[in-house]
Amino acid sequence: MAKKRIVHYVNQFFAGIGGEEKADIPPELREGVVGPGMAFNTAFGEDAEIVATIICGDSYFNENPETSKQKILEMIKPYEPDMFIAGPAFNAGRYGVACATVAWLVQEELNIPVLTGMYKENPGADLFKKGIYIIETGNSAASMRKAVPAMVKLANKLMNGEEIGMPAEEGYLERGIRKNLFMEERGSRRAVNMLISKLQGKEYKTEYAMPEFDRVPPAEALEDLSHLKIAMVTSGGIVPKTNPDRVESSSASKYGKYSIEGIDDLTEEMYETAHGGYDPIYANEDPDCVLPLDVLRDMEREGVIGSIFEYFYSTVGNGTSVGNSKAFGMAIGKEMKEAGVDAVLLTST
């Protein structure tokens, strides 16, 4: 029996080309296995093999999605694969979005099984987990040894047309699909048993988990701003020209901190936006549209506010994971609290 044919997708890092400095490379095709493909080939054994690998830089894909998708699809078609695998991407946001986007495209256009893997908080998972199978991985590539066997097991089932079990059994992220099953005990008895276990502090598992919402109580309103120090934080990507900290245009893994001491106006000669996903023309022409330093300076001179904190913080909200966002907020908030900031003006795009 001939081995099943698989095409694999990886980014510039896992292909061994480079890190962020090489994230702008366009799609390229290589015969055979590259990077983690070797682990997949070993795990598949005689069942399947990776016949080709497609490599694309994370920044290039996310900044040129339509061009990238078309090129990648054209690269895959001649191989007539039985399966397409992307990643795994772990918690790399831009990589996760690229893996999931390409997998979904291949599934729709070529009508073959697809699979990827990533951390549950990866933005690619939020966007595509209802449409494709995504194996849940750890937060980093340190969990590669666990991710590969889980992906291979599910990939073999998909290629062989076998029935796919529940998420907990197969290891993929829940897709929001409800399936009717016949149980030995009727629902009322199961519900009462769960309630008793909960009351007794015993372990139990709900049959239908409710969504969790992170609710943050609002701070009390500020009535008199004339003696307060005001800071500015934006997810609109305003950075000094040339983006010295290389804040990513989407799925940001970092933020920048920039001095505005002695500056009254954010001019197009000195600042720009690093944000992808919206038309940057007006933000580049007048960065104050996103981060209104000019108006705040007027208010400072008029005594409406006490003073402006000497730094602003900037990142990109486009596709950025909840985990990274929380980490940014905690770090920025700690710094501002230590600096005596009283209130923060938050702006987006």
Side-chain angles (χ1 to χ4, degrees):
M1 180 176 167
K3 287 185 177 182
K4 298 289 178 64
R5 297 163 58 82
I6 298 172
V7 173
H8 188 207
Y9 175 91
V10 295
N11 69 354
Q12 81 286 347
F13 176 79
F14 283 99
I17 296 173
E20 192 62 34
E21 77 282 358
K22 294 293 184 179
D24 59 349
I25 64 166
E28 66 174 79
L29 176 68
R30 294 189 189 178
E31 294 286 332
V33 299
V34 175
M38 290 183 271
F40 279 114
N41 259 9
T42 300
F44 275 117
E46 295 301 313
D47 295 323
E49 66 177 335
I50 293 173
V51 295
T53 304
I54 294 169
I55 303 162
C56 185
D58 289 334
S59 292
Y60 186 91
F61 185 91
N62 285 278
E63 292 172 9
N64 306 276
E66 295 307 317
T67 301
S68 299
K69 288 190 290 185
Q70 187 61 35
K71 286 183 178 179
I72 291 169
L73 204 58
E74 290 172 358
M75 291 175 177
I76 296 172
K77 285 179 180 178
Y79 288 92
E80 299 182 349
D82 301 291
M83 177 93 197
F84 176 82
I85 292 177
F90 307 104
N91 200 26
R94 289 173 301 158
Y95 188 23
V97 171
C99 285
T101 302
V102 176
W104 184 85
L105 176 71
V106 171
Q107 178 178 266
E108 293 298 303
E109 295 293 328
L110 303 185
N111 196 30
I112 61 173
V114 300
L115 182 65
T116 185
M118 62 190 73
Y119 186 56
K120 61 183 178 181
E121 289 189 1
N122 193 304
D126 284 337
L127 290 169
F128 288 96
K129 64 185 179 183
K130 291 185 178 181
I132 60 175
Y133 285 104
I134 301 176
I135 288 289
E136 182 176 355
T137 72
N139 188 38
S140 70
S143 61
M144 182 72 80
R145 288 185 178 180
K146 291 183 178 180
V148 169
M151 291 180 70
V152 167
K153 178 184 174 184
L154 184 54
N156 277 326
K157 282 193 169 186
L158 290 168
M159 285 188 288
N160 295 327
E162 299 176 22
E163 184 177 354
I164 306 301
M166 302 292 282
E169 174 189 347
E170 306 287 3
Y172 62 86
L173 294 172
E174 291 186 1
R175 304 175 69 195
I177 297 173
R178 298 182 69 177
K179 186 175 181 180
N180 291 327
L181 298 172
F182 288 101
M183 308 291 286
E184 291 184 6
E185 288 186 331
R186 64 186 187 187
S188 57
R189 183 173 293 278
R190 299 198 308 273
V192 170
N193 286 339
M194 278 192 284
L195 177 60
I196 292 172
S197 295
K198 183 176 182 180
L199 292 173
Q200 294 178 343
K202 296 179 180 179
E203 184 177 350
Y204 70 95
K205 184 174 177 61
T206 179
E207 295 178 8
Y208 188 69
M210 299 301 291
E212 295 182 8
F213 298 101
D214 188 6
R215 299 187 183 278
V216 180
E220 294 183 8
L222 299 170
E223 296 181 2
D224 182 7
L225 307 180
S226 61
H227 301 290
L228 303 185
K229 182 187 289 187
I230 310 296
M232 292 190 296
V233 177
T234 185
S235 62
I238 299 300
V239 294
K241 280 284 190 180
T242 74
N243 190 8
D245 292 311
R246 297 184 67 82
V247 175
E248 300 92 340
S249 62
S250 69
S251 306
S253 65
K254 66 188 79 168
Y255 62 86
K257 177 183 178 181
Y258 307 108
S259 174
I260 48 174
E261 191 170 6
I263 298 175
D264 291 339
D265 187 21
L266 301 180
T267 64
E268 63 179 319
E269 290 77 24
M270 296 293 293
Y271 296 90
E272 62 186 359
T273 181
H275 202 295
Y278 78 95
D279 188 343
I281 291 176
Y282 298 110
N284 286 335
E285 285 180 353
D286 184 6
D288 291 291
C289 289
V290 178
L291 201 67
L293 176 62
D294 53 352
V295 175
L296 281 182
R297 287 296 185 204
D298 289 341
M299 297 173 74
E300 184 181 38
R301 283 188 286 267
E302 295 166 4
V304 177
I305 61 175
S307 63
I308 301 171
F309 183 47
E310 65 218 62
Y311 296 95
F312 76 85
Y313 299 83
S314 181
T315 188
V316 165
N318 180 30
T320 299
S321 70
V322 173
N324 280 350
S325 300
K326 286 184 175 180
F328 299 164
M330 293 295 289
I332 293 171
K334 184 175 183 293
E335 283 193 25
M336 291 192 297
K337 189 173 182 179
E338 291 173 352
V341 171
D342 298 297
V344 184
L345 177 64
L346 299 171
T347 68
S348 58
T349 54

